[in-house]
Amino acid sequence: MKQDMIVILDLGSTENTAVARQIRDMGVYSEIHPHDITRSELERLENVKGIILNGGENRVVDGSAVDIDPQLYQCGYPMMAIDHPTAKCDRTFKSVPGKEDLKGFVFDVCQAQANWNMKNFIEDQVELIRKQVGDRKVLLALSGGVDSSVVAAMLIRAIGKQLVCVHVNHGLMRKNESESVIEVFKNQLHANLIYVDATERFLGKLAGVADPERKRKIIGGEFIRVFEEEARKLEGIDFLGQGTIYPDIIESGTKTAKMVKSHHNVGGLPEDLKFELVEPLKQLFKDEVRSCGVELGLPASMVYRQPFPGPGLGVRCLGAITRDRLEAVRESDAILREEFEKAGLDKKVWQYFTVVPDFKSVGVKNNARCFDYMVIIRAINTIDAMSATIERVDWDVLERITDRILKEVEHVCRVCYDMSPKPPATIEFE
């Protein structure tokens, strides 16, 4: 069933996602598009019922205020301007409208139907995937994380055996992560899974690289190279499936918003990419991805697994990656996950992990002075990954985790707890 859509055009607002989520909460699908979308591009979108011109503090770019293509006013769609009044709109607001005003525009002015739900979304995406792929094959990067797992389930429903899953162990996985992926997807779900151990290749490329953006781009670029190599061994691979979600895109920068950080599946793709992308989740927020996974029948243990970044521990081993600090991150993270599960926090806290900075501090071990690394613990709660609050972990739990890390992890003499919300901090350190 085709879902009615409200299009939000970004004219410099920092509240695009908030407006989009408000509309989706009403049961109506919404998508955010750049302000310079053309009339033909807009008319290619299906079931558009209305347009919101969403202006704001970033509307002035290079000294000029951005605006939409004047031809869009001739398309016949009802329009609402938020913080960007114009006489050409059916209704205008000088500030963000209240829920009732927005609801009135969506249902009374646009006559949109409340048919946005995961069942309909999946049906639409399955149809789009089949239309895009045809009888050809898709290569999917299967990390075992929530996003790639949901994409895999979606693609299996759409094209079945035309999907080829590739799990790349880049040496930056959590403890026993690759073994778990193989067990679940190959042995239990019987997926067409190819396992590639590229640890030395990735760590070699990353040697001495301290800049976070360079690390992300190297990891993203090498991922694509590995997939291209695997594709050459196969026949009929024309597409690359990716678990890109909306926060990945918005944080990688838009035409009116500054980049927070690039994501390996957005900003790190090589310019000579040989595949056409299949990204069925790119308009979903994280909580919606989980709902999609449940609707697709994935087990709860997989759907509600805490997120793991594409670059893996590479962005948690801060600065230039060294093997001793990488191992310290991996082992301390395993301890944190074990203790959070024992304390019941694994079901309460949205994301938790450890990082190891690239500097040492003085300490005392075995009655002698030492100079070792510190481990920083981060535990946050969020709905859509666009903002986050800190989990107030019980002192007894923190002391138990600290004690284990200091005793069991080599080259560590200090444990800290990160108290920074997002914003101003981001969820990850790099």
Side-chain angles (χ1 to χ4, degrees):
M1 178 181 181
K2 293 296 182 184
Q3 297 163 103
D4 290 349
M5 183 199 304
I6 301 296
V7 172
I8 299 168
L9 297 185
D10 176 16
L11 280 82
S13 176
T14 58
E15 300 296 325
N16 291 310
T17 57
V19 176
R21 292 187 64 83
Q22 265 194 292
I23 296 171
R24 292 187 188 188
D25 286 345
M26 297 174 190
V28 178
Y29 183 57
S30 62
E31 282 188 5
I32 302 166
H33 289 271
H35 68 278
D36 58 356
I37 188 173
T38 65
R39 178 173 181 169
S40 60
E41 288 172 336
L42 179 65
E43 290 177 338
R44 280 199 295 269
L45 299 176
E46 296 186 2
N47 284 36
V48 174
K49 295 297 181 180
I51 299 172
I52 291 177
L53 309 179
N54 210 31
E57 61 187 65
N58 295 321
R59 192 179 171 212
V60 177
V61 177
D62 296 329
S64 301
V66 299
D67 207 342
I68 64 171
D69 183 341
Q71 289 192 26
L72 266 57
Y73 294 115
Q74 310 304 318
C75 292
Y77 298 116
M79 289 189 178
M80 167 195 268
I82 299 178
D83 196 25
H84 175 49
T86 169
K88 296 179 181 179
C89 293
D90 293 327
R91 300 177 66 179
T92 63
F93 292 89
K94 292 185 178 180
S95 60
V96 177
K99 185 175 181 180
E100 290 305 311
D101 291 321
L102 195 58
K103 187 175 180 180
F105 174 72
V106 170
F107 293 111
D108 299 335
V109 178
C110 299
Q111 296 291 300
Q113 299 295 312
N115 54 14
W116 158 246
N117 57 59
M118 275 304 148
K119 184 176 184 294
N120 290 342
F121 175 81
I122 291 169
E123 289 177 0
D124 285 353
Q125 289 303 315
V126 165
E127 182 180 334
L128 289 171
I129 292 167
R130 288 172 178 167
K131 186 182 297 184
Q132 180 185 10
V133 174
D135 60 356
R136 292 174 289 177
K137 294 181 181 178
V138 179
L139 193 63
L140 173 68
L142 180 57
S143 68
V146 177
D147 300 338
S148 68
S149 297
V150 174
V151 168
M154 179 90 76
L155 288 170
I156 288 170
R157 177 171 292 192
I159 59 174
K161 293 297 184 180
Q162 292 168 242
L163 174 65
V164 180
C165 298
V166 177
H167 175 67
V168 178
N169 180 0
H170 49 21
L172 306 170
M173 307 294 288
R174 289 177 290 201
K175 191 172 183 178
N176 298 325
E177 195 91 27
S178 288
E179 293 84 350
S180 175
V181 168
I182 293 170
E183 171 59 29
V184 172
F185 287 94
K186 190 170 187 177
N187 299 341
Q188 295 180 23
L189 300 182
H190 309 292
N192 186 3
L193 177 65
I194 297 171
Y195 172 71
V196 182
D197 186 351
T199 299
E200 296 304 319
R201 174 173 174 170
F202 275 83
L203 294 184
K205 292 277 187 181
L206 291 164
V209 178
D211 179 71
E213 285 304 305
R214 279 195 63 207
K215 287 201 294 186
R216 286 177 178 272
K217 289 182 183 297
I218 287 171
I219 294 167
E222 280 306 296
F223 257 110
I224 300 302
R225 297 305 177 209
V226 171
F227 293 137
E228 285 179 333
E229 292 168 13
E230 292 304 318
R232 281 195 288 270
K233 301 174 186 177
L234 304 166
E235 292 183 0
I237 300 290
D238 295 307
F239 299 90
L240 178 67
Q242 288 199 146
T244 307
I245 64 175
Y246 189 70
D248 296 342
I249 295 172
I250 197 66
E251 288 194 337
S252 293
T254 65
K255 294 175 182 177
T256 57
K258 295 180 180 178
M259 181 179 71
V260 177
K261 61 185 176 183
S262 70
H263 287 260
H264 77 286
N265 52 356
V266 179
L269 296 174
E271 292 180 2
D272 60 344
L273 179 66
K274 303 300 183 192
F275 302 115
E276 184 179 334
L277 296 181
V278 179
E279 300 175 300
L281 307 182
K282 67 181 179 181
Q283 292 291 348
L284 294 187
F285 297 100
K286 197 71 177 190
D287 58 317
E288 293 172 333
V289 174
R290 296 187 194 279
S291 297
C292 184
V294 170
E295 183 67 32
L296 285 164
L298 289 175
S301 59
M302 185 179 295
V303 172
Y304 292 101
R305 184 180 187 181
Q306 61 164 315
F308 190 56
L313 300 183
V315 290
R316 295 177 182 174
C317 183
L318 307 185
I321 297 170
T322 60
R323 292 178 187 258
D324 59 344
R325 285 192 300 112
L326 184 59
E327 194 60 23
V329 176
R330 184 175 286 119
E331 292 299 324
S332 60
D333 177 79
I335 291 171
L336 177 66
R337 287 188 288 130
E338 286 175 16
E339 293 299 329
F340 263 41
E341 183 177 359
K342 289 178 184 176
L345 292 171
D346 61 319
K347 295 179 177 63
K348 179 185 178 188
V349 183
W350 189 81
Q351 189 171 10
Y352 45 94
F353 55 89
T354 63
V355 300
V356 177
D358 58 345
F359 59 85
K360 295 182 178 181
S361 65
V362 67
V364 178
K365 279 189 175 180
N366 301 320
N367 298 317
R369 183 180 183 275
C370 67
F371 202 54
D372 279 329
Y373 298 113
M374 70 170 64
V375 168
I376 301 173
I377 297 171
R378 185 147 174 77
I380 59 95
N381 290 307
T382 182
I383 293 175
D384 57 14
M386 301 304 294
S387 63
T389 57
I390 303 305
E391 175 66 23
R392 296 176 179 237
V393 182
D394 184 83
W395 278 109
D396 289 341
V397 176
L398 282 178
E399 286 176 351
R400 188 161 59 248
I401 294 168
T402 299
D403 183 61
R404 282 195 60 190
I405 290 175
L406 292 177
K407 286 180 178 177
E408 299 175 30
V409 183
E410 293 185 7
H411 310 297
V412 172
C413 68
R414 198 177 295 264
V415 177
C416 302
Y417 190 72
D418 181 6
M419 294 292 293
S420 314
K422 176 183 181 177
T426 53
I427 293 174
E428 298 288 341
F429 274 60
E430 290 190 339

